[in-house]
Amino acid sequence: MSKGMYVPKESQPKQGGAASAKGKAKDGKRKLVAQNKKARHDYAIIDTYEAGIVLSGTEVKSLRQGRASLADGFVQIDGNEAWLHNAHIPEYSQGTWTNHAVRRKRKLLLHREEIDKLEAKSQETGHTIVPLALYFKDGRAKAEIALARGKKEYDKRQTLREKQDRRESDRAIAAAKRKQRGVRPGPRE
């Protein structure tokens, strides 16, 4: 084959393994945009779900800039559809008159069985549906939502105490390992 001759791309030899032969392999990695840490503190998480979100163009662009807050957000089931309320996605800075409303309700995309299950469980006393995270997965905006039960004050204190005890024990183990390494002769001695 001469250098100046045109060769169609499909007849060129393929480079790499099976993943590159099929095109880009979707790795399924999450690019986290916003997280609701307070929800994990205030609620006992029973079950989590991944839902797609119906967004406008400026909302997606604003999310890609990493700007969002789920602090006051909650999920409600209305007319066999799940809706995310009070999630704060700020206006896109380069947006024009087509910019979105900051705290509008956004439709969540779930399977019918998941919506029915969430609706039945959320009707029980003390149960609610909270958003845990907003992220991009394979280029699509997703929301991680959870069926949760509210914690009492003593439950929150107990969780914090367990976390602190676990941290102190990890520190003690690390200090003991460092001390043990310091006692042993090194490879040069």
Side-chain angles (χ1 to χ4, degrees):
M1 189 180 330
S2 67
K3 279 190 172 182
M5 191 169 142
Y6 171 75
V7 178
K9 190 170 187 167
E10 44 289 335
S11 63
Q12 291 178 359
K14 295 191 176 171
Q15 308 262 330
S20 64
K22 293 179 183 174
K24 289 186 179 178
K26 295 192 176 187
D27 53 3
K29 289 187 181 178
R30 290 172 35 155
K31 181 186 173 237
L32 190 64
V33 176
Q35 193 172 18
N36 190 355
K37 293 181 181 179
K38 190 176 179 186
R40 293 196 185 271
H41 178 344
D42 291 343
Y43 299 98
I45 306 301
I46 298 169
D47 201 5
T48 61
Y49 298 89
E50 181 179 70
I53 315 171
V54 177
L55 298 172
S56 69
T58 55
E59 287 174 319
V60 174
K61 290 179 179 185
S62 186
L63 282 178
R64 288 204 189 279
Q65 291 178 340
R67 302 168 57 207
S69 173
L70 294 173
D72 299 330
F74 64 95
V75 177
Q76 199 171 34
I77 311 273
D78 293 330
N80 292 328
E81 293 179 341
W83 295 90
L84 176 63
H85 293 268
N86 277 354
H88 184 270
I89 300 176
E91 287 186 345
Y92 181 56
S93 57
Q94 282 87 33
T96 59
W97 57 272
T98 59
N99 246 331
H100 60 277
V102 175
R103 289 196 182 268
R104 73 176 186 91
K105 69 179 191 175
R106 295 164 177 95
K107 186 175 178 180
L108 295 176
L109 305 173
L110 291 163
H111 291 284
R112 170 67 48 220
E113 300 85 34
E114 292 173 334
I115 292 174
D116 293 341
K117 184 178 178 182
L118 282 170
E119 186 174 25
K121 290 286 188 176
S122 67
Q123 298 298 326
E124 296 177 13
T125 306
H127 288 80
T128 188
I129 309 166
V130 294
L132 297 178
L134 284 177
Y135 55 91
F136 283 99
K137 183 176 177 183
D138 296 330
R140 299 181 189 272
K142 302 282 184 179
E144 182 180 21
I145 61 173
L147 179 65
R149 184 178 54 248
K151 284 185 182 178
K152 304 284 187 207
E153 270 312 306
Y154 57 83
D155 288 336
K156 294 177 191 177
R157 286 193 298 268
Q158 180 65 28
T159 304
L160 287 173
R161 194 173 304 119
E162 288 171 0
K163 190 175 181 180
Q164 186 177 6
D165 291 344
R166 189 170 38 252
R167 190 177 297 140
E168 287 176 5
S169 67
D170 289 345
R171 283 184 187 149
I173 290 170
K177 285 182 179 180
R178 278 194 303 272
K179 186 176 179 183
Q180 188 179 20
R181 274 188 262 133
V183 174
R184 290 184 184 168
R188 296 184 206 171
E189 296 177 13

